Structures are given as C-alpha cells and as structure tokens.
Amino acid sequence: MANAQANIGVVGMAVMGSNLARNLASREGNTVAIFNRSFSKTQSVLDAHPEAGFIAAHDYKEFADSLQKPRAAIIMVKAGGPTDAVIEELVKVFEPGDIIVDGGNALFTDTIRREKAVRETGINFVGAGISGGEEGALLGPSIMPGGSDAAWEKLGPIFRSIAAIAEGEPCVTHVGHDGAGHFVKMVHNGIEYADMQLIAEAYDLIRRGTGKSPAEIAEIFAEWNKGELESYLIEITAEVLRQVDAKTGKPLVDVIVDQAGAKGTGAWTVQTALDLGIPVSGIAEAVFARSLSSKPAQRAAASALPGPDEAFVVADPEAFVEDVRQALYASKIIAYSQGFDEIVAGAEQYGWDIKKGEIAKIWRGGCIIRARFLNRITEAYAENPGLVALVTASFFAEVVTSTQAAWRRVVVAAAQAGIPSPAFSSSLAYYDGLRADRLPAALVQGQRDFFGAHTYKRVDAEGTFHTLWSGDRTEIEAEDTH
Ligand code: 6PG
C-alpha cells in the first residue's frame, strides 16, 4: 500500500489537468497525486515535469491510498459522461468526509444532481468553475467553487494557493452551495461569448468602414487596452489581429474559416436565462451569431440577396473609431449587467447566497473576462446590495449616458451599411427597453386577451380584466368570467 503523502490529487492528465496539477505542485506545502485512465499519459507528465514531485497512481485504489485523509481530488476530464464515470470510480475508493471536486465546465444542474447523490455516501462533492484556459490553470486561474461549507474549509487554503492574485487578493471565493459555482462559471462564459462577439463586431465595423488592415486595427485595440476598456480579451484580440500566416503571408484572421465553434456553455447560459425569465439578449445574440456563422449552406444560398445600394464609407475614420470604442464600452456594460441579473435570479431560484461583489472581485484576475471595470461592479454592489439592475448604478449610468450618442450612431451606421452587429444593436435595444416609460407590451397584452382571453391589468384599477372584443366590447373583471 502506498504512503498517503499527497494532500491533493488530480484526475485527468490532459492539458488543463496536468497544468492545474503542476500549479498545485509548485506551491509551498502541496504534494500532488495524479491519475489518468491510461498510464502512458501519466508517464509522459511525470517525464516532462520531474520537478513537480508528482505521486503517480496506476489505478483508483492506488490513487486513494496516496492521499492524506480527508482526501481531496480534483477531476479535470470532459464534462458529461466521462465526469460521471470518474465520480463512480472515486466513490468506490473514497470514504465519508473525503472530497471530490469537479473542475470541468459542468452544467450546474448536473452538479446539483451529482452533489446530492455523492452526499448520500458521506463524501463531499464540489463543483468548481475554473477559468483562465491552459495558461490560467498553470499560472493562476479564477476559481468558482460551490459545495458544502465543510468542503470549503479544506479546499479554501489549497485553492487560494493556486488562484490568480488581483490587487493582492486570490481570485477564489466560496460561491454558494451545490451547483452555485458551476452556475456562476456558466454565466461567466455567457458574458465571455458576448464580450468576444462585441469585440468582433467592433473589428468588422472598423475594417469595413475605414479600410484599415488587421495589423492597423490591432494597434487600435492595443491603444484601447490602455484605457477604460482594458481587459484580457481586448489584449489578445490585438495579438490575434497582428498574427501573419506563415504559409501565405496574409493576416491569419483572413485565412481562418469564419465559422465560430462553441462547446455549449454560452447556450446553457441562454437556456437557463429563458427558464428564469431573464433577458440576456446580448449573450443570446452572441450565441446565435456563432450559430449563423456555422451554417455554410444557408449562407451560400443567401449570399446573392441584396444589401444596401451605397458603399459604406466613413467620412471621419478617427471619429468613427472613437464611436465604436464607446459603443463597445456601453454594450459590454449591458452584457455584464445581464449576466449579473441572471446570477441574482439563479441565486433566488436555487437558494444560493451569492455575493455579487465577491464574484466581480474573483473575476478581476485569472479568468477570460478579466477587465479593469470589474472593481466598479464590486463597488456598485457594496454601495447597494439590493441593486436591481447593474446598469442603473451611478458609475455605469454615467457611462451609458456619456456613450449613448456614439452607441446609436454606430448601430445606425451598421444597419445602413448592411453590416451585422447583433450584439451592439440588441444591447442598445435592451437599454432602451429597460429605460422606456411605456412599452408596446400593452398591445401584446391586448392581443393575448383578444385571441386567448388571457386577461390584462389596468393602469387605473386593481384586478384582472378581460374584454369581450367582439359584440358590445364591454370590459369585465376577469374573475367574473370563470
Ligand atoms: C475559461 C473559458 C473556457 C473555454 C470555454 C469556452 O473560462 O477558461 O471559458 O472554459 O474557453 O469552454 O469555449 P467555447 O467557446 O468553445 O464554448
């Protein structure tokens, strides 16, 4: 029987798993046990990183025996079936009080189900969102763990030791019980989709409006990254646009097929938002924009359809670029605002005590959506924990007030030029919808009552009403009709 030397284990030695294991091993006080279904992969990690001092296991029993009690192991395998398979094996060799962590991008309802099932064995199950890609896993990710308080007590110090540091604080917090961590990670990814789509639209508008090359636009993004838009995604966009294809000498972005892939977390964010009744329209448009891009047959069939007659020429390129920057900033705020609305609704629905300000804090470093203005979100929730819409907090309200004219010009220009800007325009429509005094929803209510007797409320009286639309058009209290 192996010596129980390791204080933490990692199952799954693909890039994310091995990088996370290396990150853990590099921190003072950690000894890391590793396991992979095929030992050859474990062996190659051992060979490549002798400095990590990994304890390698050939099977689950040996893995469990190499861990100090209470045992803690992080699963880093594909979401879905592969995760269930590993949990099933770990439950056989772990004991009550031990902790199984799923560090993959699991659907939060799967995490709720798994937590419930594993808890029955006395073993703790923690769904932890981990963001930051391969580099984050190795150097410091943002970690969003759910699960029980007891599990957090043991995991807290370990997670704090490997997380990214933002302004002196580790980017990890106990998000809430059972599936809360994976829920928040899902919304993180939804915001990531929206942010990426907005940046892509900004690039497209600038390129088609001003004729600038990708390399020139890279310089614009690099400049933007020095100001209020400073963020990881803006930074890497500049690098992507700068890249030249070795084979053709063209900008790499021009030789990449323009069909965006998706592993599903953005769609989950939207599906969940639909269930919760939360309008995450910017995120939804970002998901749909990827779907549209990936329909080559439909795109080919529609490619002969007409666009505007006149060519898109921007009179003042510098002013246009600044308008696009402001539109991007405003739309980005809407994406975060919608994401936080979803977190608030999810917390209410599932009984999680999620501290919104803490979430903004742990997204300041390590994760894909890290951005300068996340501190402002923390401040907004600290100032008013019951904030009903992030965009109404003073800082954000001021931003949209000062940028809305540019935002509108960009959406108008895009529509006139026939350049799709679904994320920009839906964000603006959301903003206008939210601030509207009266919405045409009143008419929709009338239509519903007309064909389905679905009833409506009046602005000047209590109660529920139904109109007898044909005949004498009398209005009656709905209760009387049943
Ligand atoms: C992260 C990323 C990461 C991954 C997603 C999105 O936070 O580190 O979000 O989880 O990039 O799976 O991938 P898709 O764009 O393929 O859906």
Side-chain angles (χ1 to χ4, degrees), residues 16 104-105 129-134 136-137 141-142 144 185-186 188-190 192-193 196 232 260-267 290 366-369:
M16 284 295 284
N105 268 336
I130 300 181
S131 176
E134 295 171 9
S142 172
M144 294 149 253
K185 174 60 170 54
M186 172 188 78
H188 164 284
N189 281 28
E192 173 185 305
Y193 273 56
M196 292 167 74
Y232 172 73
K263 291 206 202 76
T265 49
R290 291 196 193 186
C367 68
I368 304 296
I369 63 169

Side-chain angles (χ1 to χ4, degrees), residues 82-102:
T83 301
D84 278 317
V86 174
I87 294 169
E88 201 180 305
E89 294 302 324
L90 283 179
V91 164
K92 288 183 200 157
V93 291
F94 273 24
E95 292 166 302
D98 291 349
I99 304 166
I100 299 173
V101 181
D102 173 13

Side-chain angles (χ1 to χ4, degrees), residues 301-319:
S303 65
L305 295 175
D309 290 335
E310 282 165 36
F312 181 39
V313 185
V314 163
D316 182 344
E318 213 173 298

